[in-house]
Amino acid sequence: MATTEEIEKYCRNCVSRDFVNGKGLVCSRTKDLPVFEEECEDFKKDEDLERWAPPKPEDFPVSMTREEMLAEENLPKGILYAVVACLVGAAAWGLISVSTGYQIGYMAIGIGFLVGFAMRQGKGIRPVFGIIGAALALISCVLGDFFSIIGYIAKDYDMAYTDVLSGVDYAEIFSLLIENLASMTILFYGFAVYEAYKFSFRPQNQPEGGKI
């Protein structure tokens, strides 16, 4: 039988992958942990993963020198766009989670794409762009998780969202966030951080080289 690690790696490429708090990566058909010997007979490859794969350098011929690309960098612009994407992604995470009743794991991957592409508007080639993009993607995921918890409480107790925000025990909320991390939410946070870092840079054909 395949190991848990092998199953997770295999199922990440399937359209039926999903994420449920307390369980982690599950099959959306059964809502349970996937179990199979070597291959799943219901496996269907998610073609969108290839469509949205990070662009290869050869796909974007670049004739500019490193100095010219550095001259075009605009870090404040990239940060501004990425902060907006961070907040939009967090709000979407919260709304979708509360409306569906559970968290869809690959929302985190979507947040990674969203924040990364927003950060790319700064046309950066230095590592700082990827680091900030990754950090904002992580913040967006944590905020989305936070908004979800507040939304669940407001829904369960029939309270206004703002009333919950002003009267909730934030120590308890923090404990719930930690529990979510322990239940493999951190795995999807990792996907978001990784994708945001990779997508935060402008496409280029030339190695960066030199001292940053």
Side-chain angles (χ1 to χ4, degrees):
M1 183 176 290
T3 65
T4 302
E5 248 181 47
E6 291 170 336
I7 289 175
E8 284 176 9
K9 186 175 180 181
Y10 182 84
C11 292
R12 282 177 208 157
N13 297 307
C14 180
V15 294
S16 298
R17 70 188 183 280
D18 205 345
F19 175 80
V20 174
N21 275 342
K23 286 187 177 180
L25 186 69
V26 301
C27 178
S28 62
R29 294 176 298 101
T30 63
K31 301 301 180 187
D32 209 346
L33 301 173
V35 178
F36 48 83
E37 292 291 336
E38 293 182 3
E39 293 185 359
C40 174
E41 59 182 17
D42 296 310
F43 177 85
K44 184 177 179 183
K45 187 173 182 181
D46 188 350
E47 301 297 339
D48 285 339
L49 290 177
E50 289 186 4
R51 190 177 306 142
W52 289 100
K56 298 180 179 127
E58 56 268 26
D59 295 333
F60 296 87
V62 175
S63 57
M64 297 171 65
T65 65
R66 175 178 170 77
E67 288 69 29
E68 288 171 331
M69 287 189 285
L70 284 171
E72 283 194 354
E73 281 189 341
N74 190 332
L75 184 58
K77 179 181 178 180
I79 292 175
L80 175 62
Y81 277 70
V83 167
V84 172
C86 165
L87 296 175
V88 169
W93 177 305
L95 286 171
I96 293 172
S97 295
V98 174
S99 62
T100 60
Y102 61 92
Q103 289 183 348
I104 303 170
Y106 42 87
M107 280 196 305
I109 301 175
I111 283 177
F113 285 136
L114 179 66
V115 175
F117 274 119
M119 192 69 196
R120 182 181 286 190
Q121 304 313 303
K123 296 184 177 181
I125 63 172
R126 291 176 296 153
V128 64
F129 283 82
I131 292 169
I132 293 175
L136 286 172
L138 178 60
I139 290 170
S140 183
C141 289
V142 174
L143 274 177
D145 209 1
F146 171 78
F147 291 155
S148 299
I149 293 170
I150 297 297
Y152 290 141
I153 295 172
K155 189 175 181 180
D156 289 345
Y157 291 92
D158 196 22
M159 297 173 63
Y161 198 90
T162 51
D163 290 340
V164 177
L165 277 174
S166 61
V168 75
D169 181 353
Y170 282 91
E172 184 65 25
I173 298 295
F174 180 75
S175 297
L176 289 173
L177 287 171
I178 297 299
E179 283 179 20
N180 283 350
L181 285 175
S183 65
M184 286 184 63
T185 302
I186 193 170
L187 175 67
F188 290 93
Y189 281 12
F191 292 157
V193 168
Y194 174 72
E195 296 300 337
Y197 182 87
K198 290 184 70 173
F199 278 87
S200 290
F201 303 104
R202 72 181 296 170
Q204 54 180 309
N205 233 350
Q206 302 171 356
E208 290 185 30
K211 193 173 180 179
I212 301 299

Tab-separated table of all heavy atoms in Angstrom, residues 107-163:
chain	number	residue	atom	x	y	z
A	107	MET	N	-7.908	26.691	-2.177
A	107	MET	CA	-8.061	28.155	-2.117
A	107	MET	C	-6.720	28.780	-1.755
A	107	MET	O	-6.393	29.882	-2.204
A	107	MET	CB	-9.114	28.543	-1.074
A	107	MET	CG	-10.531	28.396	-1.554
A	107	MET	SD	-11.699	29.286	-0.488
A	107	MET	CE	-11.337	28.585	1.106
A	108	ALA	N	-5.962	28.081	-0.911
A	108	ALA	CA	-4.649	28.588	-0.516
A	108	ALA	C	-3.735	28.693	-1.723
A	108	ALA	O	-2.969	29.654	-1.864
A	108	ALA	CB	-4.031	27.678	0.546
A	109	ILE	N	-3.812	27.704	-2.618
A	109	ILE	CA	-2.987	27.742	-3.824
A	109	ILE	C	-3.420	28.922	-4.695
A	109	ILE	O	-2.595	29.635	-5.262
A	109	ILE	CB	-3.113	26.421	-4.603
A	109	ILE	CG1	-2.681	25.255	-3.718
A	109	ILE	CG2	-2.276	26.463	-5.876
A	109	ILE	CD1	-2.883	23.891	-4.336
A	110	GLY	N	-4.737	29.148	-4.777
A	110	GLY	CA	-5.251	30.291	-5.531
A	110	GLY	C	-4.749	31.600	-4.971
A	110	GLY	O	-4.423	32.534	-5.720
A	111	ILE	N	-4.674	31.676	-3.645
A	111	ILE	CA	-4.154	32.888	-3.011
A	111	ILE	C	-2.689	33.086	-3.381
A	111	ILE	O	-2.234	34.204	-3.639
A	111	ILE	CB	-4.333	32.813	-1.481
A	111	ILE	CG1	-5.800	33.090	-1.112
A	111	ILE	CG2	-3.419	33.817	-0.768
A	111	ILE	CD1	-6.113	32.974	0.350
A	112	GLY	N	-1.944	31.986	-3.412
A	112	GLY	CA	-0.537	32.081	-3.815
A	112	GLY	C	-0.391	32.661	-5.209
A	112	GLY	O	0.441	33.547	-5.454
A	113	PHE	N	-1.203	32.149	-6.169
A	113	PHE	CA	-1.187	32.679	-7.528
A	113	PHE	C	-1.560	34.162	-7.533
A	113	PHE	O	-0.893	34.986	-8.163
A	113	PHE	CB	-2.195	31.928	-8.397
A	113	PHE	CG	-1.752	30.551	-8.809
A	113	PHE	CD1	-2.634	29.482	-8.748
A	113	PHE	CD2	-0.466	30.320	-9.271
A	113	PHE	CE1	-2.240	28.210	-9.133
A	113	PHE	CE2	-0.060	29.052	-9.649
A	113	PHE	CZ	-0.952	27.991	-9.583
A	114	LEU	N	-2.646	34.487	-6.841
A	114	LEU	CA	-3.178	35.854	-6.841
A	114	LEU	C	-2.157	36.854	-6.317
A	114	LEU	O	-1.868	37.876	-6.950
A	114	LEU	CB	-4.452	35.918	-5.998
A	114	LEU	CG	-5.127	37.282	-5.873
A	114	LEU	CD1	-5.663	37.724	-7.227
A	114	LEU	CD2	-6.263	37.220	-4.849
A	115	VAL	N	-1.589	36.557	-5.158
A	115	VAL	CA	-0.617	37.472	-4.553
A	115	VAL	C	0.659	37.537	-5.382
A	115	VAL	O	1.240	38.613	-5.578
A	115	VAL	CB	-0.301	37.039	-3.099
A	115	VAL	CG1	0.810	37.909	-2.509
A	115	VAL	CG2	-1.555	37.139	-2.225
A	116	GLY	N	1.088	36.384	-5.898
A	116	GLY	CA	2.302	36.363	-6.717
A	116	GLY	C	2.166	37.202	-7.977
A	116	GLY	O	3.049	37.997	-8.311
A	117	PHE	N	1.050	37.021	-8.689
A	117	PHE	CA	0.839	37.806	-9.906
A	117	PHE	C	0.711	39.293	-9.596
A	117	PHE	O	1.156	40.140	-10.371
A	117	PHE	CB	-0.418	37.328	-10.628
A	117	PHE	CG	-0.175	36.174	-11.567
A	117	PHE	CD1	-0.804	34.960	-11.368
A	117	PHE	CD2	0.700	36.310	-12.631
A	117	PHE	CE1	-0.577	33.895	-12.223
A	117	PHE	CE2	0.934	35.251	-13.496
A	117	PHE	CZ	0.295	34.034	-13.298
A	118	ALA	N	0.102	39.613	-8.466
A	118	ALA	CA	-0.007	41.024	-8.069
A	118	ALA	C	1.379	41.605	-7.786
A	118	ALA	O	1.703	42.716	-8.221
A	118	ALA	CB	-0.906	41.152	-6.841
A	119	MET	N	2.201	40.840	-7.073
A	119	MET	CA	3.557	41.297	-6.756
A	119	MET	C	4.385	41.457	-8.026
A	119	MET	O	5.257	42.328	-8.115
A	119	MET	CB	4.220	40.279	-5.814
A	119	MET	CG	5.512	40.777	-5.183
A	119	MET	SD	5.199	42.117	-3.996
A	119	MET	CE	6.854	42.785	-3.827
A	120	ARG	N	4.094	40.652	-9.026
A	120	ARG	CA	4.845	40.710	-10.278
A	120	ARG	C	4.671	42.042	-10.996
A	120	ARG	O	5.492	42.414	-11.841
A	120	ARG	CB	4.388	39.567	-11.202
A	120	ARG	CG	5.153	39.508	-12.512
A	120	ARG	CD	4.664	38.385	-13.399
A	120	ARG	NE	5.106	37.091	-12.914
A	120	ARG	CZ	4.981	35.974	-13.613
A	120	ARG	NH1	4.425	35.996	-14.812
A	120	ARG	NH2	5.403	34.823	-13.117
A	121	GLN	N	3.619	42.784	-10.658
A	121	GLN	CA	3.393	44.082	-11.311
A	121	GLN	C	4.521	45.061	-11.003
A	121	GLN	O	4.654	46.088	-11.661
A	121	GLN	CB	2.043	44.670	-10.883
A	121	GLN	CG	0.860	43.765	-11.149
A	121	GLN	CD	0.871	43.167	-12.541
A	121	GLN	OE1	0.913	43.892	-13.532
A	121	GLN	NE2	0.846	41.838	-12.619
A	122	GLY	N	5.305	44.745	-9.983
A	122	GLY	CA	6.463	45.582	-9.669
A	122	GLY	C	7.666	45.277	-10.532
A	122	GLY	O	8.724	45.904	-10.384
A	123	LYS	N	7.542	44.296	-11.446
A	123	LYS	CA	8.600	43.921	-12.394
A	123	LYS	C	9.924	43.621	-11.691
A	123	LYS	O	10.990	44.044	-12.142
A	123	LYS	CB	8.800	45.029	-13.436
A	123	LYS	CG	7.589	45.261	-14.313
A	123	LYS	CD	7.875	46.294	-15.394
A	123	LYS	CE	6.667	46.455	-16.323
A	123	LYS	NZ	6.924	47.435	-17.398
A	124	GLY	N	9.846	42.902	-10.600
A	124	GLY	CA	11.054	42.619	-9.827
A	124	GLY	C	11.815	41.393	-10.282
A	124	GLY	O	11.226	40.438	-10.794
A	125	ILE	N	13.121	41.420	-10.087
A	125	ILE	CA	13.952	40.250	-10.348
A	125	ILE	C	14.787	39.884	-9.118
A	125	ILE	O	15.419	38.845	-9.086
A	125	ILE	CB	14.893	40.468	-11.564
A	125	ILE	CG1	15.884	41.601	-11.283
A	125	ILE	CG2	14.091	40.725	-12.822
A	125	ILE	CD1	16.963	41.741	-12.358
A	126	ARG	N	14.770	40.747	-8.102
A	126	ARG	CA	15.538	40.461	-6.884
A	126	ARG	C	14.741	39.587	-5.913
A	126	ARG	O	13.504	39.611	-5.918
A	126	ARG	CB	15.937	41.772	-6.193
A	126	ARG	CG	16.962	42.596	-6.954
A	126	ARG	CD	17.211	43.911	-6.240
A	126	ARG	NE	16.006	44.731	-6.204
A	126	ARG	CZ	15.756	45.645	-5.261
A	126	ARG	NH1	16.591	45.825	-4.270
A	126	ARG	NH2	14.649	46.353	-5.310
A	127	PRO	N	15.424	38.818	-5.073
A	127	PRO	CA	14.751	37.920	-4.125
A	127	PRO	C	13.756	38.615	-3.212
A	127	PRO	O	12.784	37.996	-2.761
A	127	PRO	CB	15.915	37.335	-3.310
A	127	PRO	CG	17.073	37.369	-4.234
A	127	PRO	CD	16.901	38.634	-5.044
A	128	VAL	N	13.954	39.905	-2.926
A	128	VAL	CA	13.064	40.621	-2.010
A	128	VAL	C	11.619	40.583	-2.499
A	128	VAL	O	10.678	40.539	-1.698
A	128	VAL	CB	13.540	42.079	-1.802
A	128	VAL	CG1	13.466	42.879	-3.095
A	128	VAL	CG2	12.737	42.766	-0.699
A	129	PHE	N	11.414	40.580	-3.822
A	129	PHE	CA	10.055	40.529	-4.363
A	129	PHE	C	9.383	39.209	-4.016
A	129	PHE	O	8.217	39.175	-3.617
A	129	PHE	CB	10.076	40.737	-5.880
A	129	PHE	CG	10.282	42.161	-6.296
A	129	PHE	CD1	11.554	42.712	-6.342
A	129	PHE	CD2	9.209	42.973	-6.646
A	129	PHE	CE1	11.759	44.035	-6.713
A	129	PHE	CE2	9.401	44.299	-7.029
A	129	PHE	CZ	10.678	44.837	-7.061
A	130	GLY	N	10.128	38.115	-4.177
A	130	GLY	CA	9.573	36.808	-3.849
A	130	GLY	C	9.328	36.635	-2.365
A	130	GLY	O	8.315	36.051	-1.957
A	131	ILE	N	10.236	37.153	-1.550
A	131	ILE	CA	10.102	37.027	-0.093
A	131	ILE	C	8.868	37.784	0.400
A	131	ILE	O	8.079	37.265	1.196
A	131	ILE	CB	11.374	37.552	0.606
A	131	ILE	CG1	12.553	36.622	0.300
A	131	ILE	CG2	11.158	37.655	2.114
A	131	ILE	CD1	13.906	37.171	0.715
A	132	ILE	N	8.693	39.016	-0.090
A	132	ILE	CA	7.526	39.804	0.326
A	132	ILE	C	6.238	39.164	-0.199
A	132	ILE	O	5.232	39.090	0.505
A	132	ILE	CB	7.649	41.260	-0.152
A	132	ILE	CG1	8.811	41.950	0.576
A	132	ILE	CG2	6.345	42.026	0.097
A	132	ILE	CD1	9.104	43.357	0.086
A	133	GLY	N	6.268	38.691	-1.443
A	133	GLY	CA	5.090	38.026	-2.007
A	133	GLY	C	4.703	36.798	-1.198
A	133	GLY	O	3.525	36.583	-0.890
A	134	ALA	N	5.697	35.989	-0.814
A	134	ALA	CA	5.438	34.786	-0.027
A	134	ALA	C	4.882	35.143	1.351
A	134	ALA	O	3.943	34.506	1.845
A	134	ALA	CB	6.735	33.986	0.122
A	135	ALA	N	5.461	36.178	1.973
A	135	ALA	CA	4.999	36.601	3.303
A	135	ALA	C	3.554	37.087	3.253
A	135	ALA	O	2.738	36.761	4.128
A	135	ALA	CB	5.907	37.705	3.843
A	136	LEU	N	3.214	37.853	2.206
A	136	LEU	CA	1.841	38.366	2.086
A	136	LEU	C	0.850	37.235	1.783
A	136	LEU	O	-0.300	37.275	2.229
A	136	LEU	CB	1.774	39.437	0.995
A	136	LEU	CG	2.398	40.785	1.374
A	136	LEU	CD1	2.472	41.714	0.168
A	136	LEU	CD2	1.602	41.448	2.502
A	137	ALA	N	1.285	36.232	1.052
A	137	ALA	CA	0.418	35.079	0.793
A	137	ALA	C	0.134	34.333	2.097
A	137	ALA	O	-1.001	33.904	2.348
A	137	ALA	CB	1.075	34.139	-0.219
A	138	LEU	N	1.153	34.188	2.933
A	138	LEU	CA	0.969	33.526	4.227
A	138	LEU	C	0.013	34.331	5.109
A	138	LEU	O	-0.896	33.772	5.740
A	138	LEU	CB	2.324	33.374	4.926
A	138	LEU	CG	2.298	32.737	6.320
A	138	LEU	CD1	1.705	31.329	6.269
A	138	LEU	CD2	3.707	32.706	6.918
A	139	ILE	N	0.212	35.652	5.136
A	139	ILE	CA	-0.676	36.527	5.920
A	139	ILE	C	-2.111	36.398	5.414
A	139	ILE	O	-3.062	36.342	6.200
A	139	ILE	CB	-0.197	37.992	5.835
A	139	ILE	CG1	1.121	38.160	6.601
A	139	ILE	CG2	-1.257	38.950	6.388
A	139	ILE	CD1	1.795	39.502	6.391
A	140	SER	N	-2.271	36.349	4.091
A	140	SER	CA	-3.602	36.225	3.505
A	140	SER	C	-4.283	34.925	3.944
A	140	SER	O	-5.472	34.910	4.268
A	140	SER	CB	-3.505	36.270	1.974
A	140	SER	OG	-4.787	36.231	1.383
A	141	CYS	N	-3.532	33.825	3.963
A	141	CYS	CA	-4.085	32.536	4.391
A	141	CYS	C	-4.501	32.572	5.860
A	141	CYS	O	-5.578	32.091	6.229
A	141	CYS	CB	-3.060	31.424	4.169
A	141	CYS	SG	-2.783	31.001	2.441
A	142	VAL	N	-3.633	33.131	6.699
A	142	VAL	CA	-3.949	33.207	8.133
A	142	VAL	C	-5.166	34.103	8.365
A	142	VAL	O	-6.060	33.767	9.153
A	142	VAL	CB	-2.731	33.741	8.926
A	142	VAL	CG1	-3.104	33.970	10.389
A	142	VAL	CG2	-1.568	32.760	8.842
A	143	LEU	N	-5.206	35.240	7.659
A	143	LEU	CA	-6.362	36.133	7.783
A	143	LEU	C	-7.640	35.451	7.296
A	143	LEU	O	-8.701	35.581	7.902
A	143	LEU	CB	-6.136	37.400	6.960
A	143	LEU	CG	-5.370	38.549	7.628
A	143	LEU	CD1	-5.173	39.683	6.635
A	143	LEU	CD2	-6.088	39.041	8.874
A	144	GLY	N	-7.521	34.705	6.188
A	144	GLY	CA	-8.674	33.991	5.660
A	144	GLY	C	-9.188	32.968	6.656
A	144	GLY	O	-10.408	32.832	6.856
A	145	ASP	N	-8.268	32.258	7.297
A	145	ASP	CA	-8.638	31.293	8.335
A	145	ASP	C	-9.314	32.012	9.509
A	145	ASP	O	-10.324	31.543	10.058
A	145	ASP	CB	-7.381	30.565	8.808
A	145	ASP	CG	-7.665	29.163	9.305
A	145	ASP	OD1	-8.836	28.744	9.257
A	145	ASP	OD2	-6.718	28.478	9.727
A	146	PHE	N	-8.748	33.168	9.887
A	146	PHE	CA	-9.304	33.968	10.981
A	146	PHE	C	-10.719	34.445	10.643
A	146	PHE	O	-11.648	34.310	11.449
A	146	PHE	CB	-8.388	35.164	11.249
A	146	PHE	CG	-8.956	36.178	12.208
A	146	PHE	CD1	-8.934	35.949	13.576
A	146	PHE	CD2	-9.523	37.351	11.740
A	146	PHE	CE1	-9.467	36.884	14.463
A	146	PHE	CE2	-10.053	38.292	12.611
A	146	PHE	CZ	-10.026	38.050	13.978
A	147	PHE	N	-10.884	34.998	9.431
A	147	PHE	CA	-12.211	35.464	9.003
A	147	PHE	C	-13.222	34.320	8.990
A	147	PHE	O	-14.399	34.510	9.316
A	147	PHE	CB	-12.136	36.093	7.609
A	147	PHE	CG	-11.386	37.400	7.558
A	147	PHE	CD1	-10.783	37.829	6.374
A	147	PHE	CD2	-11.281	38.212	8.679
A	147	PHE	CE1	-10.093	39.031	6.319
A	147	PHE	CE2	-10.591	39.418	8.635
A	147	PHE	CZ	-9.993	39.831	7.448
A	148	SER	N	-12.749	33.129	8.603
A	148	SER	CA	-13.631	31.959	8.569
A	148	SER	C	-14.143	31.612	9.960
A	148	SER	O	-15.340	31.371	10.159
A	148	SER	CB	-12.892	30.749	7.980
A	148	SER	OG	-12.468	30.990	6.672
A	149	ILE	N	-13.223	31.590	10.924
A	149	ILE	CA	-13.602	31.239	12.297
A	149	ILE	C	-14.612	32.251	12.851
A	149	ILE	O	-15.622	31.883	13.462
A	149	ILE	CB	-12.352	31.173	13.198
A	149	ILE	CG1	-11.469	29.990	12.779
A	149	ILE	CG2	-12.743	31.035	14.670
A	149	ILE	CD1	-10.112	29.968	13.441
A	150	ILE	N	-14.336	33.541	12.623
A	150	ILE	CA	-15.267	34.584	13.077
A	150	ILE	C	-16.629	34.392	12.408
A	150	ILE	O	-17.685	34.518	13.034
A	150	ILE	CB	-14.716	35.987	12.751
A	150	ILE	CG1	-13.398	36.245	13.507
A	150	ILE	CG2	-15.741	37.062	13.114
A	150	ILE	CD1	-13.518	36.251	15.000
A	151	GLY	N	-16.603	34.079	11.109
A	151	GLY	CA	-17.847	33.868	10.374
A	151	GLY	C	-18.635	32.679	10.892
A	151	GLY	O	-19.869	32.743	11.004
A	152	TYR	N	-17.928	31.591	11.220
A	152	TYR	CA	-18.605	30.404	11.766
A	152	TYR	C	-19.301	30.741	13.090
A	152	TYR	O	-20.439	30.338	13.334
A	152	TYR	CB	-17.602	29.272	12.007
A	152	TYR	CG	-17.037	28.648	10.754
A	152	TYR	CD1	-15.694	28.273	10.695
A	152	TYR	CD2	-17.840	28.421	9.638
A	152	TYR	CE1	-15.166	27.691	9.556
A	152	TYR	CE2	-17.316	27.846	8.496
A	152	TYR	CZ	-15.978	27.477	8.460
A	152	TYR	OH	-15.462	26.906	7.327
A	153	ILE	N	-18.589	31.491	13.938
A	153	ILE	CA	-19.158	31.863	15.243
A	153	ILE	C	-20.388	32.734	15.052
A	153	ILE	O	-21.429	32.525	15.686
A	153	ILE	CB	-18.100	32.591	16.108
A	153	ILE	CG1	-16.944	31.647	16.455
A	153	ILE	CG2	-18.741	33.132	17.388
A	153	ILE	CD1	-15.779	32.322	17.145
A	154	ALA	N	-20.268	33.725	14.153
A	154	ALA	CA	-21.399	34.628	13.892
A	154	ALA	C	-22.600	33.855	13.359
A	154	ALA	O	-23.754	34.111	13.747
A	154	ALA	CB	-20.978	35.707	12.897
A	155	LYS	N	-22.331	32.888	12.497
A	155	LYS	CA	-23.408	32.091	11.906
A	155	LYS	C	-24.054	31.175	12.948
A	155	LYS	O	-25.281	31.068	13.028
A	155	LYS	CB	-22.835	31.264	10.753
A	155	LYS	CG	-23.875	30.552	9.916
A	155	LYS	CD	-23.194	29.863	8.736
A	155	LYS	CE	-24.212	29.150	7.865
A	155	LYS	NZ	-23.558	28.482	6.707
A	156	ASP	N	-23.232	30.509	13.751
A	156	ASP	CA	-23.743	29.550	14.752
A	156	ASP	C	-24.578	30.234	15.829
A	156	ASP	O	-25.570	29.673	16.313
A	156	ASP	CB	-22.588	28.793	15.407
A	156	ASP	CG	-21.933	27.802	14.454
A	156	ASP	OD1	-22.554	27.504	13.409
A	156	ASP	OD2	-20.816	27.340	14.731
A	157	TYR	N	-24.142	31.438	16.225
A	157	TYR	CA	-24.830	32.135	17.317
A	157	TYR	C	-25.755	33.250	16.821
A	157	TYR	O	-26.263	34.032	17.622
A	157	TYR	CB	-23.802	32.704	18.299
A	157	TYR	CG	-23.072	31.630	19.073
A	157	TYR	CD1	-21.863	31.124	18.601
A	157	TYR	CD2	-23.597	31.109	20.256
A	157	TYR	CE1	-21.185	30.125	19.295
A	157	TYR	CE2	-22.929	30.112	20.954
A	157	TYR	CZ	-21.728	29.621	20.472
A	157	TYR	OH	-21.070	28.625	21.153
A	158	ASP	N	-25.943	33.306	15.489
A	158	ASP	CA	-26.820	34.299	14.893
A	158	ASP	C	-26.476	35.716	15.365
A	158	ASP	O	-27.332	36.476	15.809
A	158	ASP	CB	-28.283	33.971	15.227
A	158	ASP	CG	-29.261	34.730	14.323
A	158	ASP	OD1	-28.826	35.135	13.230
A	158	ASP	OD2	-30.414	34.922	14.735
A	159	MET	N	-25.202	36.030	15.277
A	159	MET	CA	-24.703	37.338	15.701
A	159	MET	C	-24.177	38.104	14.494
A	159	MET	O	-23.822	37.509	13.474
A	159	MET	CB	-23.583	37.181	16.740
A	159	MET	CG	-24.013	36.526	18.035
A	159	MET	SD	-22.574	36.190	19.107
A	159	MET	CE	-21.959	37.848	19.430
A	160	ALA	N	-24.083	39.405	14.633
A	160	ALA	CA	-23.478	40.227	13.585
A	160	ALA	C	-21.971	39.992	13.592
A	160	ALA	O	-21.361	39.793	14.647
A	160	ALA	CB	-23.767	41.707	13.821
A	161	TYR	N	-21.384	40.006	12.413
A	161	TYR	CA	-19.940	39.759	12.276
A	161	TYR	C	-19.143	40.745	13.125
A	161	TYR	O	-18.191	40.372	13.804
A	161	TYR	CB	-19.562	39.891	10.803
A	161	TYR	CG	-18.244	39.253	10.441
A	161	TYR	CD1	-18.178	37.929	10.033
A	161	TYR	CD2	-17.056	39.982	10.506
A	161	TYR	CE1	-16.968	37.343	9.694
A	161	TYR	CE2	-15.845	39.411	10.164
A	161	TYR	CZ	-15.806	38.089	9.754
A	161	TYR	OH	-14.603	37.509	9.434
A	162	THR	N	-19.559	42.022	13.099
A	162	THR	CA	-18.833	43.052	13.857
A	162	THR	C	-18.958	42.831	15.363
A	162	THR	O	-18.032	43.136	16.123
A	162	THR	CB	-19.369	44.447	13.493
A	162	THR	OG1	-20.804	44.459	13.617
A	162	THR	CG2	-18.988	44.818	12.070
A	163	ASP	N	-20.108	42.296	15.808
A	163	ASP	CA	-20.293	42.026	17.232
A	163	ASP	C	-19.343	40.917	17.698
A	163	ASP	O	-18.791	40.973	18.795
A	163	ASP	CB	-21.740	41.611	17.523
A	163	ASP	CG	-22.712	42.769	17.354
A	163	ASP	OD1	-22.238	43.925	17.389
A	163	ASP	OD2	-23.916	42.512	17.186
